[in-house]
Structures are given as structure tokens and as C-alpha cells.
Amino acid sequence: MAADLQGKRVAILAADGVERVELEQPREALERAGAQTEVLSIHDGEIKARENDLDEAGTFTVDGLVADSSAGDYDALLLPGGTVNPDQLRVDEDAVSFVRDFVESGKPVAAICHGPWTLIEAGVAAGRTLTSFPSIRTDLRNAGANVVDQEVVVDKNLITSRSPEDLPAFSAAIVSQLAGTTTKEEEKS
């Protein structure tokens, strides 16, 4: 992932219940490439992370509230999964509007595992080719998405992956999309 993302700002939208590795690994890849990341949430302070949805996995400091943020402030958006995290985001008006604005802006939006639930609520999944954790694929189909089972899928500005096992390909795709390049995995899709 030899990309220069100096000067790029990436919003990471997450709430309590976020799957730790799905926030941490893409964030590390983006920062290694030179991007600045900020964790936005629906409340201030800290958000509680989980491992495999069940085990406590520490916390992340919230850098800002999604209610006070704009898609225009950032160059890309990361939506990590975990079951509880996107379930909270998809019922928060500010979070849903932020995601919708981001997708409509054409800037990269990356969602992994259960993260696409927020894309569904924002009304931006219809007509798009996406992947996700198997348990929400019916939700994506019902929202009008073309659902595939691949480690990473890039459809215009949307980047989606299935699970933590796909994190290397997912992280590479985010960095390459933000840098304006493509990876071998993306050329195949």
C-alpha cells in the first residue's frame, strides 16, 4: 500500500459495539499511508469496542460528534461493523444524513461486515453491487442492492467487505481508492 495520502482526512463513523479490528486495521493502514483519521460518533467521550460482538475489547476516544460534522470536512468515510454499532447508527438521523451526504458526494465510503446496514438506512444501496456479512445480505437485497460474495467489492465510490478475514484486501482498497489508484483485487471485480 505505497500511497501518499498526506493532507487527506478520513471520518470513521462508529458507536458503542464497534468491532475493534474493523476500526483499528483500516485506520492503521490509512495513517501509515499519511491520512489523518477522526472517530465520529453519536455521543462524545469514548465508544466501547467489542471482539466478535461478545467480548469487551477496550474503548476508542471520540474526536467529534457526527451531528457537528459535514461530509465536506472529509475526503473519505469508514463504516466499521460489529452488530450493535451500525444498529445504533442507522436509527440516528444525523448519522444517516451524514452517510447519505457522503455517498452522494462521490467520495470513497467503505463499509465492512454489518456496516452496510447504515447504507441501507441512508437509502443509497439500491442499484449498487455490495457485499457484507452473510446475515445482512437479505437486508441488502431487499434494499435493491446486487449482493455478491467476494472479499472486497468496489462499486464506484462504495467499498464493501464481508468480515474481519477480509481486512487486508479491504484496507488496501480504501487506501487505493483514496489515492486514486486501483489494486489487482479491484481490477478483477
Side-chain angles (χ1 to χ4, degrees), residues 173-185:
I174 298 166
V175 170
S176 69
Q177 287 296 306
L178 189 52
T181 60
T182 59
T183 65
K184 289 180 183 178
E185 291 86 6

Side-chain angles (χ1 to χ4, degrees), residues 1-2 150-154 168-177 180-189:
M1 287 188 275
Q150 295 174 252
E151 78 178 345
V152 67
V153 175
V154 178
F170 181 66
S171 298
I174 298 166
V175 170
S176 69
Q177 287 296 306
T181 60
T182 59
T183 65
K184 289 180 183 178
E185 291 86 6
E186 292 164 6
E187 290 169 1
K188 293 176 190 172
S189 61

Side-chain angles (χ1 to χ4, degrees), residues 26-50:
R27 180 185 211 180
E28 289 170 0
L30 286 160
E31 289 177 351
R32 274 194 313 270
Q36 175 190 349
T37 63
E38 294 179 19
V39 175
L40 302 179
S41 193
I42 55 178
H43 65 78
D44 58 5
E46 294 182 330
I47 55 172
K48 297 173 187 167
R50 306 300 281 178

Side-chain angles (χ1 to χ4, degrees), residues 138-181:
T138 298
D139 297 338
L140 284 168
R141 281 186 202 94
N142 289 342
N146 173 37
V147 180
V148 296
D149 184 12
Q150 295 174 252
E151 78 178 345
V152 67
V153 175
V154 178
D155 182 338
K156 298 177 186 158
N157 64 322
L158 291 182
I159 306 156
T160 53
S161 279
R162 302 171 297 195
S163 70
E165 288 76 30
D166 300 330
L167 279 166
F170 181 66
S171 298
I174 298 166
V175 170
S176 69
Q177 287 296 306
L178 189 52
T181 60

Side-chain angles (χ1 to χ4, degrees), residues 83-101:
T83 307
V84 174
N85 164 50
D87 196 46
Q88 290 186 68
L89 295 176
R90 67 184 179 158
V91 296
D92 183 274
E93 274 185 46
D94 295 316
V96 172
S97 293
F98 185 76
V99 170
R100 183 181 308 110
D101 291 347

